[in-house]
Amino acid sequence: MNNLISDPSLTLARTRLRGTGARVTPARVRVLAVLMEAGQPLSHHEVEQILSPAAELDRVTLYRVLDWLVQQRLAHRVAGSDRAWRFSVAGDQPSLEARGGLKAGGAKVMHERHAHFHCNDCGKVYCLDSIDAKALNVPVPIGYRPETLELTVKGYCAHCN
Amino acid sequence: MNNLISDPSLTLARTRLRGTGARVTPARVRVLAVLMEAGQPLSHHEVEQILSPAAELDRVTLYRVLDWLVQQRLAHRVAGSDRAWRFSVAGDQPSLEARGGLKAGGAKVMHERHAHFHCNDCGKVYCLDSIDAKALNVPVPIGYRPETLELTVKGYCAHCN
DNA sequence: CCATCAATTGCAACCCAGTTGCAATTGATG
DNA sequence: CATCAATTGCAACTGGGTTGCAATTGATGG
Ligand SMILES: [Mn+2]
Ligand SMILES: [Mn+2]
Ligand SMILES: [Zn+2]
Ligand SMILES: [Zn+2]
């Protein structure tokens, strides 16, 4: 059973989850493992598809697990052009210590350092890790306080081109 | 009646609409006039609010008029962070003649030359016209064909800061 | 002016991503 | 192994947007 998620991924997922100090539940383990095996950000629906051959996971629980993973900074979330969120496992980025101008503690520190590619045909989202969006210097009008930056390229992916 | 839309705007809207060769209907005139008077991209809901004191406009008709304006290139559409589209009147941008690599005729030529600012508090979207997003040279992996580029700054607007 | 008719509109029903309230279940702890 | 807060499942709901279809109407040209 669970032939779509490899055992090493499940084990690694469990380890990372233990690191949060919160409960290590099967739902969290399986969802995190799926994200770890995916090479790209997955939508709620896509995760559901991958999960379903094994035991079903309630839609709402999946939504909650995904949000929780983002809160715990184990995953990050990017808006797809189809108005559905995509989730991908957080890379081994540095701890993203507060950069100038951020108000709260670690709450909503800039998480998106790189750009994304959205395929207009298949809808998939790819991370363009080579691009450091943060390096861009985008001037905003006086009185505006920028916090995060999103750079999205839309077009056709290698598979749909 | 219609005290929220100025007559000059209505007249200008009618003129622009006549230029399309398609029917000049009250719905189209009023919606385009609203967009022309707004200094920023408006959501479907925001347009509805501005319109309602005068005669109501059916939700579906409003959706269709907005989409139609975008097709006619009289407006452009930007995704808000709240997963609602925002619409703004198309500026007097040059005709955006085909740039290298575009396939079809005038169908989906790059429309977004500038960046946008999304307020995390009030949700409003502002155009950062001074930024030419197209000038950015974003490298994509081989096999990927980029078409449009979106640059979004999120933070707090002058009013919410 | 008026008849004509395709384009446009209004209405009702629907879709889909995501959220909320609450009772039942369960992971961690001692 | 009892305890209990955290987590889950279920049902109902929200909000933005879409679809099908019958009724209305802007432009045309006679
Ligand atoms: Mn990414
Ligand atoms: Mn704009
Ligand atoms: Zn694709
Ligand atoms: Zn604001």
Side-chain angles (χ1 to χ4, degrees):
Chain A
M1 82 267 316
N2 233 341
N3 46 354
L4 289 176
I5 314 176
S6 78
D7 274 351
S9 295
L10 290 170
T11 302
L12 179 51
R14 256 183 286 266
T15 305
R16 290 209 194 169
L17 288 170
R18 238 177 271 118
T20 68
R23 283 201 199 169
V24 179
T25 68
R28 289 174 176 173
V29 172
R30 292 205 296 143
V31 172
L32 181 54
V34 165
L35 294 188
M36 291 191 316
E37 298 211 336
Q40 61 200 207
L42 301 180
S43 64
H44 173 274
H45 183 67
E46 289 167 326
V47 174
E48 216 169 19
Q49 293 298 311
I50 298 175
L51 243 31
S52 57
E56 287 281 349
L57 185 57
D58 183 77
R59 311 183 328 108
V60 177
T61 302
L62 178 50
Y63 277 118
R64 292 198 271 227
V65 166
L66 289 169
D67 288 348
W68 180 86
L69 288 172
V70 172
Q71 266 179 234
Q72 300 300 314
R73 316 190 125 271
L74 290 175
H76 71 159
R77 202 172 69 151
V78 42
S81 30
D82 55 354
R83 74 192 54 246
W85 296 109
R86 311 264 162 166
F87 301 82
S88 64
V89 63
D92 301 40
Q93 294 152 356
S95 56
L96 285 173
E97 48 280 306
R99 69 194 70 239
L102 286 183
K103 39 170 29 175
K108 237 196 159 187
V109 193
M110 171 127 21
H111 205 294
E112 313 287 4
R113 294 192 67 85
H114 55 268
H116 291 103
F117 186 97
H118 292 223
C119 179
N120 289 334
D121 189 35
C122 67
K124 285 207 170 70
V125 175
Y126 303 84
C127 299
L128 299 177
D129 291 303
S130 70
I131 296 152
D132 189 352
K134 194 45 189 140
L136 266 64
N137 184 27
V138 179
V140 298
I142 290 182
Y144 288 63
R145 181 159 47 91
E147 273 205 344
T148 63
L149 206 98
E150 275 176 24
L151 182 55
T152 304
V153 183
K154 297 189 181 183
Y156 296 89
C157 77
H159 191 261
C160 300
N161 198 349
Chain B
M1 84 265 319
N2 233 340
N3 46 356
L4 288 176
I5 314 175
S6 79
D7 274 349
S9 295
L10 290 169
T11 302
L12 179 50
R14 257 183 286 266
T15 305
R16 288 209 195 169
L17 287 170
R18 238 177 271 117
T20 68
R23 283 201 198 171
V24 179
T25 68
R28 288 173 178 174
V29 172
R30 293 204 297 142
V31 172
L32 182 53
V34 165
L35 294 188
M36 290 191 317
E37 298 210 337
Q40 61 201 208
L42 301 180
S43 66
H44 173 275
H45 183 66
E46 289 167 327
V47 174
E48 216 169 19
Q49 293 297 311
I50 297 174
L51 243 31
S52 57
E56 286 282 350
L57 187 57
D58 184 77
R59 320 184 315 115
V60 178
T61 301
L62 177 51
Y63 277 119
R64 290 197 271 228
V65 166
L66 289 169
D67 288 347
W68 181 86
L69 288 173
V70 172
Q71 267 179 233
Q72 301 299 315
R73 314 191 128 272
L74 289 174
H76 70 157
R77 199 172 70 153
V78 41
S81 29
D82 55 354
R83 74 190 54 244
W85 297 110
R86 311 263 161 166
F87 301 82
S88 64
V89 64
D92 301 40
Q93 294 151 355
S95 57
L96 285 174
E97 49 280 304
R99 68 195 69 239
L102 286 184
K103 41 172 25 177
K108 237 195 158 189
V109 193
M110 173 127 18
H111 204 292
E112 314 287 3
R113 293 191 68 85
H114 56 269
H116 292 103
F117 186 96
H118 292 224
C119 179
N120 288 336
D121 189 36
C122 67
K124 286 206 170 69
V125 175
Y126 304 85
C127 298
L128 299 177
D129 292 302
S130 71
I131 296 153
D132 189 352
K134 192 50 189 135
L136 267 63
N137 184 26
V138 179
V140 298
I142 289 181
Y144 288 63
R145 181 158 46 90
E147 274 203 345
T148 63
L149 206 98
E150 275 176 26
L151 182 54
T152 304
V153 182
K154 298 189 179 182
Y156 296 89
C157 77
H159 191 261
C160 299
N161 198 349

